[in-house]
Amino acid sequence: MGALKRKSESIGPSKRAKVAIRPSQTLYVNNLNDQVSRRLLKHNLYLLFSTYGDVIDIIIRPKMRGQAHIILESVTSASSAKAGLDKRRFFSKEMSVNYAKTKSRIVARAEDDTGGDIGIAEQKKVTDADEINEDVPGYES
């Protein structure tokens, strides 16, 4: 009779193996209090993360309960925000701050359009101004 293999020996590596995520400007924040309104949560996240650098955008979707993506101007400011705010209590819950797995659309568009020549904040201002100017009838640049 052969010895029976344990279940853990036959399966191999876990399905959710941790993959090293490269530092980026976009932070993924979870374990946020979902009882707080999205507007109040977004405002307070802006105030909290803006102490580490310029916040470009905060994305909180209705289906993303207790989660948010925060886009900062530079990787260094995102790294310092991650180091300073990970495991910090926020609205009576301990939030978790990590780098996002994928690049945000704003970052990708800024890198594609400019080749990385100008900052993301400047790129966002340019695209916002273009969108505003398109809505104004009779406005010509």
Short mmCIF file of all heavy atoms in Angstrom, two decimals, residues 11 31 65 89 99:
data_model
loop_
_atom_site.label_atom_id
_atom_site.label_comp_id
_atom_site.label_asym_id
_atom_site.label_seq_id
_atom_site.Cartn_x
_atom_site.Cartn_y
_atom_site.Cartn_z
N ILE A 11 -1.92 19.67 -4.91
CA ILE A 11 -2.50 20.82 -5.60
C ILE A 11 -1.43 21.71 -6.21
O ILE A 11 -1.55 22.18 -7.32
CB ILE A 11 -3.41 21.64 -4.67
CG1 ILE A 11 -4.65 20.82 -4.34
CG2 ILE A 11 -3.81 22.95 -5.30
CD1 ILE A 11 -5.57 21.48 -3.38
N ASN A 31 -11.14 48.31 2.16
CA ASN A 31 -11.59 48.25 3.54
C ASN A 31 -12.01 49.64 4.04
O ASN A 31 -11.73 50.03 5.17
CB ASN A 31 -10.54 47.63 4.47
CG ASN A 31 -11.15 47.13 5.75
OD1 ASN A 31 -12.31 46.72 5.77
ND2 ASN A 31 -10.40 47.19 6.83
N ARG A 65 -17.95 48.83 -3.47
CA ARG A 65 -18.24 49.16 -2.08
C ARG A 65 -16.99 49.00 -1.23
O ARG A 65 -16.38 47.94 -1.21
CB ARG A 65 -19.36 48.28 -1.56
CG ARG A 65 -20.68 48.61 -2.22
CD ARG A 65 -21.78 47.75 -1.74
NE ARG A 65 -21.68 47.49 -0.30
CZ ARG A 65 -22.57 46.86 0.40
NH1 ARG A 65 -23.65 46.41 -0.19
NH2 ARG A 65 -22.41 46.65 1.69
N ARG A 89 -6.45 53.95 10.52
CA ARG A 89 -7.89 53.97 10.75
C ARG A 89 -8.50 55.19 10.05
O ARG A 89 -8.00 56.30 10.17
CB ARG A 89 -8.19 54.01 12.24
CG ARG A 89 -7.80 52.68 12.90
CD ARG A 89 -8.32 52.50 14.29
NE ARG A 89 -9.68 52.03 14.48
CZ ARG A 89 -10.21 50.91 14.00
NH1 ARG A 89 -9.52 50.15 13.23
NH2 ARG A 89 -11.43 50.54 14.29
N TYR A 99 -0.51 49.49 -4.33
CA TYR A 99 -0.43 49.98 -5.69
C TYR A 99 -1.47 49.26 -6.54
O TYR A 99 -1.75 48.08 -6.33
CB TYR A 99 0.96 49.72 -6.29
CG TYR A 99 2.07 50.45 -5.57
CD1 TYR A 99 3.01 49.75 -4.83
CD2 TYR A 99 2.17 51.83 -5.63
CE1 TYR A 99 4.03 50.41 -4.17
CE2 TYR A 99 3.18 52.50 -4.97
CZ TYR A 99 4.11 51.79 -4.24
OH TYR A 99 5.10 52.43 -3.59
#
